[in-house]
Amino acid sequence: MMPRLTALAATLMVCACSSSPPRDAPPVGSIDIQGIVIWIQLAYVVRDVMVEVPATGRFAGCGNILPRTRCQTSFPSQRYAGNEILLTWAERGEPRSTEPFTVEPPPGAPVGAAFWLVVEVFAPGQAGARLVQP
């Protein structure tokens, strides 16, 4: 009986060692964000649009966006692992914001895939975001 337990223990140790992922493997479900596009669907200028990730302190944005136009910016790929984002902006001098929320990559997106975050101010006081592949 003792040799079987020893063999079982050795097998479990080998399996445990061989199944651990490499240290630099991306976390399950993580993706990269390479840039942000901010669309304004309103009939007036929107100012100081910011996309913030409170958990990391990272942010990106645009100062003044004309009616029915967009602003976009790219940057070196940044890992997005599902942290909440917050959108803030000003309409006609009034500050606006969303509640913190997360965005999900499209179903079947591979780990490490590159995306752009598309933000849209689509109605007075309302905005949302989604991830799209370039």
Side-chain angles (χ1 to χ4, degrees):
M1 187 63 136
M2 188 61 99
R4 283 188 173 172
L5 289 176
T6 304
L8 179 61
T11 301
L12 289 174
M13 287 179 16
V14 168
C15 290
C17 292
S18 65
S19 66
S20 61
R23 292 186 110 184
D24 59 347
V28 173
S30 66
I31 57 153
D32 290 332
I33 296 180
Q34 296 179 327
I36 295 177
V37 178
I38 302 170
W39 285 96
I40 304 302
Q41 299 298 328
L42 305 176
Y44 45 87
V45 173
V46 173
R47 301 182 193 288
D48 304 324
V49 182
M50 293 295 291
V51 179
E52 303 173 42
V53 182
T56 64
R58 294 187 175 180
F59 61 91
C62 295
N64 294 313
I65 307 173
L66 298 174
R68 297 185 178 96
T69 64
R70 69 181 176 156
C71 168
Q72 74 181 51
T73 185
S74 63
F75 41 78
S77 291
Q78 300 294 313
R79 181 68 44 174
Y80 176 67
N83 292 321
E84 290 184 329
I85 62 174
L86 174 68
L87 306 176
T88 60
W89 69 98
E91 293 176 24
R92 297 184 170 166
E94 294 294 320
R96 304 288 187 181
S97 69
T98 63
E99 294 293 322
F101 65 95
T102 59
V103 291
E104 298 292 327
V111 171
F115 288 86
W116 281 63
L117 180 69
V118 176
V119 173
E120 187 173 355
V121 178
F122 57 88
Q126 297 183 6
R130 66 186 185 283
L131 292 168
V132 298
Q133 287 191 293

